[in-house]
Amino acid sequence: MHMPTINFNRSTSARHTPRAVNSPRAFNASHHRKWWASGPPPFDSPVVTYFVASILMLTACFIYLCVFGYWARRVPAPVQISQLLQTTKSTEVCDVFDGMWVPDGSYPLYNSSDCPFAERGFNCLANGRKDTDYLKWRWKPKDCELPAFDALKALEKLRGKRVVFVGDSMSRTQWESFICMLMTGVRDPKSVYEVNGNQISKTIRFLGVRFEEYNLSVEFFRSVFLVQQGLAPRHGPKRVRSALKLDRLDDISRKWIDSDLLVFNSGHWWTPSKLFDMGCYFQDGGSLKLGMSINSAFEMALQTWASWVERSVNTNRTHIFFRTFEPSHWSGANQKECKVTSEPSFDAKGTERNEFGDIIASVVSTMRAPVTVLNVTSMGAFRSDAHIGTYSHPLTVLDCSHWCLPGVPDAWNEIVFSYLLTDGWRNLEN
């Protein structure tokens, strides 16, 4: 900060002006008073009072600036998910998550039956769904236009790259969608293969697809909590059969590091039925936290994830996304009924878990590393028509949580591709 320069010297004319002996500014030894000989001035002297007051005021200002500056750096203002688009410096970025679904006859972007990496359980048409209107909707941001998906441009942009998805089955759905979208631009489908020859399955912790012609890898790591899940500590209560170690990231996290695009999600397993009802509780260090709420534990796990990102990931190479919670559309008194509609609803409905989105936004806002939040929660809230419903595999499974493919996850990936191709949504058409 530029500080003004103050000249403490007297002017040249003042130094060179001759003074009479009786001038009050002339030095007169006979009249010069030595205060140290006659004692210091009294404490009630105006000069002393002014001096002490000045010192106290300067000290108070110094303390205030130090304390205020410290806490301004340490304590961020509360952040709502709607306010956090991304952690870039530019403010001229379209909010691609504020929009609506519009009908578009050019959709879907691919046929799941032609994509060997689309899981049968997500292929609703192959599982007996007859209506196809749910396939013909496009996400339209309110203030800008997403570029039409171009598989060839996307493949060229990703040439020589490594893309990694980490999370639960919703992340696997996005991973499958990502691959199927890219497959439409590949000349030889046989040049695309799973690196270990595995069939797509929800039980495998790692799946990797290689696009040989483009030297491109698109991988999925199953980590539903992102942190380690292990055995319960010794001498714990009998109801505790396992514990989430909130201060330790998943032990396979070392395999996520050397990537160019890293997409995370978590949330669907953070429920009482998949935690407490299964005997799984929270652990911090060596201590069980039996009274800790799920929201508090989720936040602590994300803080552990954030520390890992800042410590381990080279963000000069790797761009990181974190996708928010995807709404489900279960209904009924016990939330066990699943009624798939024929078209999107006019109102945002479903179980949104907005508190998870707010926690993600709050944690990301305090990070030094740049992370882009994919705020897809409201997008899915309108799509009660796009869930698997009864068109699952096997058909006995009812599902109002996961999405058909093609479907809603394609829109998430269109947003990711548009980010890569438009300099972080800065060059979108209004």
Side-chain angles (χ1 to χ4, degrees):
M1 182 175 66
H2 177 72
M3 296 295 293
T5 303
I6 301 176
N7 188 353
F8 288 96
N9 296 323
R10 294 176 182 176
S11 66
T12 304
S13 61
R15 292 198 307 270
H16 289 231
T17 303
R19 298 293 177 186
V21 174
N22 294 330
S23 170
R25 296 186 62 179
F27 180 78
N28 189 331
S30 62
H31 295 284
H32 184 65
R33 183 177 181 182
K34 300 180 178 58
W35 62 264
W36 57 84
S38 58
F43 284 103
D44 59 351
S45 167
V47 174
V48 174
T49 302
Y50 177 81
F51 177 79
V52 172
S54 299
I55 293 297
L56 291 176
M57 183 176 296
L58 289 173
T59 303
C61 290
F62 177 79
I63 293 173
Y64 172 82
L65 290 174
C66 289
V67 174
F68 180 81
Y70 174 82
W71 284 108
R73 293 191 299 269
R74 297 284 296 179
V75 182
V79 179
Q80 296 297 319
I81 188 65
S82 59
Q83 297 173 324
L84 186 67
L85 183 59
Q86 58 177 344
T87 58
T88 56
K89 295 180 180 179
S90 173
T91 58
E92 298 178 0
V93 179
C94 175
D95 185 354
V96 296
F97 306 105
D98 182 13
M100 67 186 71
W101 293 95
V102 297
D104 191 324
S106 67
Y107 279 63
L109 298 173
Y110 58 89
N111 185 337
S112 285
S113 296
D114 295 336
C115 180
F117 306 102
E119 196 172 331
R120 175 64 186 271
F122 301 144
N123 189 347
C124 296
L125 289 180
N127 295 332
R129 185 164 181 173
K130 301 300 181 183
D131 65 300
T132 59
D133 289 346
Y134 74 97
L135 297 170
K136 300 184 181 299
W137 293 90
R138 172 174 59 88
W139 179 253
K140 167 67 176 68
K142 183 173 65 175
D143 296 324
C144 57
E145 287 283 351
L146 293 177
F149 174 69
D150 187 322
L152 289 176
K153 284 185 179 180
L155 284 165
E156 284 297 336
K157 184 70 175 179
L158 295 172
R159 183 183 288 275
K161 305 298 184 183
R162 179 177 180 238
V163 180
V164 173
F165 290 83
V166 180
D168 52 30
S169 55
M170 293 295 183
S171 183
R172 192 177 74 253
T173 309
Q174 186 178 7
W175 172 78
E176 293 178 22
S177 162
F178 194 93
I179 295 170
C180 291
M181 291 170 71
L182 291 176
M183 283 286 292
T184 61
V186 174
R187 291 180 296 180
D188 181 10
K190 293 183 180 179
S191 67
V192 184
Y193 54 89
E194 205 284 323
V195 294
N196 294 318
N198 291 320
Q199 295 293 319
I200 307 305
S201 169
K202 63 182 180 182
T203 59
I204 300 177
R205 290 207 74 186
F206 168 76
L207 292 163
V209 170
R210 177 85 174 164
F211 289 75
E212 191 67 37
E213 182 181 352
Y214 292 89
N215 189 26
L216 165 65
S217 295
V218 185
E219 304 171 11
F220 166 71
F221 290 87
R222 185 176 184 270
S223 180
V224 299
F225 297 111
L226 301 183
V227 292
Q228 290 184 22
Q229 184 176 15
L231 298 175
R234 292 182 179 182
H235 311 299
K238 291 184 178 180
R239 71 176 186 271
V240 180
R241 296 193 290 273
S242 63
L244 285 186
K245 298 178 180 180
L246 301 176
D247 58 337
R248 295 185 184 179
L249 209 64
D250 198 318
D251 54 7
I252 61 173
S253 59
R254 65 187 183 279
K255 298 181 179 180
W256 310 339
I257 296 174
D258 294 322
S259 56
D260 299 281
L261 198 66
L262 194 48
V263 185
F264 291 94
N265 97 296
S266 188
H268 284 270
W269 283 65
W270 293 84
T271 63
S273 62
K274 294 188 176 185
L275 287 169
F276 306 144
D277 294 353
M278 303 299 294
C280 183
Y281 289 81
F282 307 124
Q283 181 178 344
D284 180 18
S287 303
L288 279 173
K289 303 295 181 180
L290 298 179
M292 179 177 283
S293 69
I294 289 177
N295 286 357
S296 296
F298 182 70
E299 182 173 8
M300 183 176 291
L302 284 190
Q303 293 286 2
T304 298
W305 165 83
S307 297
W308 172 85
V309 167
E310 294 179 339
R311 183 177 64 253
S312 303
V313 179
N314 177 13
T315 53
N316 291 324
R317 172 190 173 183
T318 306
H319 192 92
I320 304 168
F321 293 90
F322 202 113
R323 196 180 72 254
T324 58
F325 191 84
E326 308 86 3
S328 61
H329 288 84
W330 295 97
S331 58
N334 297 321
Q335 293 290 296
K336 293 183 177 181
E337 297 179 15
C338 179
K339 298 178 181 178
V340 176
T341 60
S342 59
E343 59 184 17
S345 58
F346 291 104
D347 301 317
K349 299 178 180 179
T351 305
E352 297 187 19
R353 300 294 293 274
N354 283 325
E355 67 275 14
F356 278 12
D358 292 340
I359 291 171
I360 293 169
S362 178
V363 170
V364 169
S365 71
T366 64
M367 295 176 65
R368 297 186 302 273
V371 175
T372 301
V373 175
L374 296 175
N375 183 18
V376 303
T377 304
S378 60
M379 294 172 61
F382 295 95
R383 296 306 305 273
S384 56
D385 62 320
H387 287 293
I388 293 172
T390 58
Y391 307 105
S392 59
H393 184 75
L395 294 176
T396 54
V397 178
L398 192 64
D399 193 343
C400 252
S401 294
H402 295 90
W403 308 99
C404 297
L405 288 181
V408 171
D410 305 332
W412 307 340
N413 286 325
E414 283 188 275
I415 288 174
V416 172
F417 285 125
S418 70
Y419 183 95
L420 299 177
L421 296 170
T422 63
D423 189 24
W425 304 314
R426 290 184 183 85
N427 299 326
L428 292 175
E429 295 182 3
N430 293 327

